[in-house]
Amino acid sequence: MAQKSIVTEVLKEDAVIRKIRIQGYRIHKNLTVEPNQKFNLIVGPNESGKSTLMEAVALALTGRIHGRTVSEELNPHWFNTAVVEEFIQRRTSGIPVSFPEILIELSFHDLPELQDLCGAINTHVPTTACPGVTMRISANPEYAEELEEWARAPSTLLPVEYYRCDWRSFADRELTTRPKVLATAVINSHTVRTSSGIDYHLRQILGDQLEPAERAQISLEYRRVKASMSNTALNAVNTRMSAIHATLHSRPIALAMDQSARTSWEGVVTPHVDNVPFSMSGQGQQSAIKISLAMNRHAGRAKFVMLEEPENHLTHTSLVTLLSRIESLAGEQQQLFVTTHSSFVLNRLGLDALLLMGNDVATKLSALSPDTVSYFKRLPGYDTLRIVLANRIVLVEGPSDEIVFERIFHDTYGKRPMECGIDVLSMRGLSLARGLELCAALNKPIVALRDNDGVDPDELQSEVATWLKKGERELFVGEVAHGKTLEPQLIHHNGEKLLRDILGIAAHADLLKWMTREKTETALRISSASKNIVPPAYMLEAVQFAHG
């Protein structure tokens, strides 16, 4: 029984892309990614190359882009601008460098069904045979003279008419169609649509659901229906037209249904949802259907699923339903790549699946403990992406601390924190330790503030010392003698007279009770006051540390 468990575990680990290499393709000059075996949640700032990574992987898996072959869609803007500029600069200087290329390589774990793709012709592990595919777009040597002529007066747009697209396995065998074992589903609401309103990727997904015998049966019956029209609707027309000898040798002309491949049943048979054409369904409904079809537990389901921003066009409730469906349908030997701008998606599917994109690097978040991953899954509404994407983060306990901190920062430096690339985020129930652990795993600078609650600051520091790092991740806590929370700290450093003036509190009112009861209102009045407050010492230190 134990042996069976080990074999199963090996299969779970092996049924995936193990390494992705992209060179010279759009924003990626030289990117290497070792994806997670099941979920890959790709996040990053705008223009960090999230969609480009997805596009490159799909391109190498299928040999197609937007439903057309790579050679049909080849565009000079595919080439990395820095690589092209460097090429032009060197050629202009008389250095005979080679023309820019695009290389996309995917290597797979060594599975029996992938042996046809196995070889040592690759740049990943060139001395060791493994299954994989390579897409290389390079200058065609047959046009060497034309290319050199162009290079004498080059422009930033490469002459792709003189380029060739070479799609091969690591065994150095040319690929002309997608190998069946690399079944791939691309789910994107922005995919190119055909004239009938059904995008190419949905047709591919639907096609994978049909057995060869079923496809043949549908095709045969469709041909019969078309042929029968010659004896029905077209019969009277052909009888009349037979009297017209318009062709050479007086042979009659007649109308008949086109039986060529371009008019096959795939072009006219379209899916419907509750008797409504699929293309007329809502965008959210379309995405959900595509996902269900692609991930269905069926022999023809996709081994690789590429899903762009599943949160688009969905209400919160629908998104919850969709994510539950994704989790339940995901097979052990199925690898998902998901781009998202939603913290809910990130938290729900698991922070341990994170791939953080930026500067030709994809950082995996593998250092988080399983407990912390589970913790964030139970806190799906928390804006985790702000922590993940911020250059520098300030974590405070609540909204009032956030407002007061921003006012102190502005009074000190004349700018809001965000203007300096600093994101101030209220924990709102998030455990400080969990937040610090996440930042430590991301190696992200962080400033954390908390009330002392009557506990010695050194003791509070020691509780989270594992994730603190001098000069990078530090925790600031007010002295116990100055008050347990923010409000008494403010009174201690400013005195009652100044605070009553700023807050507009009458002399007979209990200042501390009012401030404690009206925490957010206190912070808002301080934020909009014409007079500056004297900042609590720990907050001023935090502001100075955050600014650097």
Side-chain angles (χ1 to χ4, degrees), residues 404 408 449 478-479 482 485-494 533-543:
V404 173
I408 295 171
L449 293 91
E479 294 293 331
H482 300 163
T485 61
L486 174 61
E487 290 74 30
Q489 290 274 342
L490 287 169
I491 294 173
H492 173 83
H493 287 83
N494 290 270
I533 62 166
V534 178
Y538 76 103
M539 271 201 161
L540 182 58
E541 290 174 14
V543 163

Side-chain angles (χ1 to χ4, degrees), residues 226-491:
K226 288 195 295 184
S228 69
M229 288 188 66
S230 297
N231 299 321
T232 55
L234 297 178
N235 185 52
V237 175
N238 288 335
T239 299
R240 179 171 51 82
M241 292 181 65
S242 65
I244 303 174
H245 300 291
T247 60
L248 191 63
H249 306 305
S250 299
R251 292 175 181 172
I253 190 169
L255 299 179
M257 297 298 293
D258 188 354
Q259 297 285 359
S260 65
R262 70 168 179 257
T263 61
S264 65
W265 65 271
E266 288 98 331
V268 295
V269 176
T270 63
H272 284 59
V273 182
D274 286 338
N275 297 319
V276 175
F278 178 85
S279 60
M280 299 180 69
S281 300
Q283 293 278 10
Q285 179 75 285
Q286 290 185 30
S287 293
I289 291 171
K290 287 184 188 179
I291 290 168
S292 294
L293 285 170
M295 299 179 66
N296 185 23
R297 297 184 183 279
H298 180 273
R301 81 174 165 195
K303 185 178 288 290
F304 307 99
V305 178
M306 324 293 291
L307 176 57
E308 292 235 29
E309 299 180 10
E311 65 270 17
N312 282 354
H313 314 295
L314 293 177
T315 63
H316 179 77
T317 303
S318 297
L319 180 58
V320 173
T321 303
L322 180 61
L323 292 179
S324 296
R325 186 175 299 173
I326 290 173
E327 290 175 313
S328 64
L329 290 176
E332 294 296 350
Q333 296 187 12
Q334 191 171 51
Q335 194 172 28
L336 283 82
F337 295 84
V338 182
T339 64
T340 185
H341 287 108
S342 166
S343 287
F344 188 89
V345 173
L346 179 62
N347 293 348
R348 178 64 184 269
L349 295 183
L351 277 168
D352 53 342
L354 176 70
L355 281 178
L356 179 59
M357 299 291 299
N359 298 323
D360 251 355
V361 174
T363 302
K364 290 174 69 174
L365 195 58
S366 56
L368 284 181
S369 67
D371 284 347
T372 294
V373 174
S374 177
Y375 174 86
F376 277 99
K377 283 188 176 184
R378 295 194 302 271
L379 201 68
Y382 189 74
D383 200 356
T384 314
L385 268 184
R386 283 180 63 183
I387 296 179
V388 171
L389 298 179
N391 293 325
R392 198 174 184 90
I393 192 80
V394 176
L395 272 182
V396 297
E397 285 202 279
S400 58
D401 304 81
E402 180 180 349
I403 295 167
V404 173
F405 181 91
E406 293 217 2
R407 173 61 193 258
I408 295 171
F409 191 99
H410 186 272
D411 289 344
T412 306
Y413 296 107
K415 293 182 178 180
R416 297 291 180 189
M418 191 62 77
E419 296 176 73
C420 300
I422 302 166
D423 197 353
V424 184
L425 184 59
S426 170
M427 286 184 277
R428 297 196 314 274
L430 173 70
S431 160
L432 175 61
R434 304 292 188 185
L436 287 171
E437 183 183 351
L438 174 58
C439 290
L442 291 166
N443 197 27
K444 187 175 294 292
I446 179 174
V447 178
L449 293 91
R450 64 155 297 168
D451 297 332
N452 61 61
D453 296 327
V455 179
D456 186 284
D458 290 339
E459 184 178 336
L460 297 174
Q461 293 269 356
S462 65
E463 291 176 359
V464 293
T466 303
W467 303 290
L468 299 178
K469 186 177 181 181
K470 189 68 176 176
E472 291 188 25
R473 293 184 296 276
E474 294 196 12
L475 172 63
F476 296 87
V477 187
E479 294 293 331
V480 175
H482 300 163
K484 295 180 179 180
T485 61
L486 174 61
E487 290 74 30
Q489 290 274 342
L490 287 169
I491 294 173

